[in-house]
Amino acid sequence: MELVLITGMSGSGKSVALRALEDAGYYCVDNLPPELLLPFVQLEERVASRQLAIAMDVRSAKSLPQVPTQLHELRQRGVTVRSVFLDSTTDTLVRRFSETRRRHPLSGMRDTNPAQMNEASTLQKALVEAIELERELLADLREQALVIDTSVTRPAQLQAQVKEMLSAPDSQLTLVFESFAFKRGIPVDADYVFDVRMLPNPHYEPELRHLDGRDGPVIDYLKAAPEVERMGQHIEGFLTEWLPALARNQRSYVTVALGCTGGQHRSVYLVEKLARTFAPHWITLKRHRELENR
């Protein structure tokens, strides 16, 4: 049996991810109380279910601390467990709750007519505090999961990322390389962040500006720059040194983010290069945040 556990911040897209799993043939259950996780899996084993997807969130806050132990028990019983944690920046979550006028499950705010809200700043402060409390309550689950930053992700892109995760073989450690633009913020799912903005920038070459780091002319331009190759070697050396230690520490996923100014040329080129280098040794995925959001 394969079990996918979807957790994450309220407003980060768990329902979108669950729909992607349902489309992929998983039997999906939303907001299952942690107390029912083991009995539910046992029931599904008796009816020969092969693929389950369960969403849990902070509405089960009191019993969430049970979940890591339960997942360990399921793995001991031979169940393949994949855990996905959806995250977003606090500013993004505040905006989403404000736009939809939904109440955060930890906010404690009463339903109020927006026209009667004279203390908008107080309400926003309460929402931020609720989001930060939620981060604390979910920290242990986040630590054991593949983290996907949905701050600038469209629903279709998130569904594609979830399906890509399912296509990767179950392994002790999966390595994720991600390119991004610093001007749009550092991905909150990154375990390691490398700044490559000091490298030669193809953006300033008119014939390369409209291309990206996967195109031949840009590759040739960056390959010819010794500092670009040296940066790639330094990142490769760091990861080669420390990935085995992370694997021994039972890490399931490690996300390495490389950022440049626009997330189009230098970071994309290095992500592609590093993914090819490490693919023979680790389960390797790659993402190009800005290119996928075009």
Side-chain angles (χ1 to χ4, degrees):
M1 176 181 286
E2 180 182 4
L3 169 66
V4 178
L5 177 66
I6 302 289
T7 61
M9 302 296 293
S10 300
S12 62
K14 292 188 294 297
S15 59
V16 173
L18 207 61
R19 283 198 299 272
L21 292 167
E22 190 170 29
D23 291 343
Y26 285 73
Y27 181 71
C28 299
V29 179
D30 190 13
N31 194 28
L32 183 75
E35 295 90 343
L36 299 181
L37 176 59
L38 294 181
F40 177 72
V41 172
Q42 290 171 350
L43 173 64
E44 293 303 311
E45 285 176 329
R46 287 199 293 270
V47 298
S49 296
R50 303 304 303 166
Q51 293 179 312
L52 303 178
I54 295 173
M56 292 183 182
D57 57 37
V58 79
R59 286 173 288 182
S60 302
K62 291 183 179 179
S63 48
L64 281 176
Q66 306 174 23
V67 176
T69 301
Q70 292 172 328
L71 296 181
H72 177 73
E73 181 177 336
L74 290 172
R75 290 187 177 101
Q76 294 294 105
R77 285 165 38 183
V79 177
T80 297
V81 178
R82 298 172 185 255
S83 184
V84 180
F85 188 99
L86 304 182
D87 204 351
S88 291
T89 64
T90 297
D91 287 345
T92 299
L93 295 174
V94 169
R95 187 186 72 247
R96 289 175 181 171
F97 274 102
S98 299
E99 289 173 350
T100 61
R101 299 191 177 181
R102 291 173 50 207
R103 190 181 72 170
H104 190 281
L106 298 180
S107 66
M109 292 186 290
R110 297 177 180 176
D111 294 329
T112 307
N113 186 328
Q116 298 175 344
M117 291 184 179
N118 298 321
E119 299 293 337
S121 61
T122 301
L123 291 172
Q124 179 161 324
K125 180 180 178 182
L127 177 56
V128 170
E129 290 174 352
I131 291 170
E132 295 309 317
L133 174 59
E134 183 178 26
R135 290 195 192 283
E136 294 178 17
L137 294 172
L138 296 176
D140 288 343
L141 289 176
R142 189 184 194 279
E143 185 68 22
Q144 299 183 22
L146 168 64
V147 182
I148 298 178
D149 180 5
T150 68
S151 303
V152 295
T153 302
R154 297 188 303 270
Q157 183 185 350
L158 174 57
Q159 290 182 348
Q161 290 180 0
V162 171
K163 291 177 181 178
E164 180 189 35
M165 181 272 295
L166 296 175
S167 69
D170 184 47
S171 175
Q172 184 179 10
L173 185 144
T174 296
L175 183 58
V176 182
F177 289 104
E178 180 175 11
S179 66
F180 72 95
F182 271 97
K183 66 183 181 182
R184 298 190 69 187
I186 296 174
V188 298
D189 54 5
D191 296 296
Y192 297 100
V193 176
F194 293 94
D195 184 350
V196 301
R197 287 175 291 183
M198 74 291 293
L199 300 178
N201 191 353
H203 175 78
Y204 296 112
E205 304 295 330
E207 67 276 13
L208 303 179
R209 185 171 300 174
H210 67 286
L211 304 177
D212 65 58
R214 300 168 297 186
D215 293 315
V218 175
I219 293 172
D220 293 340
Y221 175 89
L222 293 173
K223 269 188 175 180
E227 57 265 56
V228 175
E229 293 302 295
R230 193 161 61 250
M231 173 69 79
Q233 291 169 4
H234 288 170
I235 298 173
E236 179 184 341
F238 174 83
L239 295 175
T240 300
E241 174 74 20
W242 292 108
L243 281 177
L246 290 167
R248 290 193 297 271
N249 197 41
Q250 306 302 313
R251 286 292 297 273
S252 298
Y253 301 93
V254 174
T255 298
V256 180
L258 288 83
C260 59
T261 305
Q264 178 179 340
H265 296 108
R266 296 162 290 181
S267 59
V268 172
Y269 167 78
L270 285 169
V271 161
E272 293 286 330
K273 175 181 173 63
L274 290 165
R276 287 193 302 271
T277 299
F278 284 93
H281 312 290
W282 304 92
I283 303 301
T284 303
L285 304 175
K286 58 187 177 183
R287 301 178 192 152
H288 298 299
R289 189 180 75 178
E290 316 311 337
L291 300 186
E292 292 168 0
N293 275 308
R294 284 179 174 179

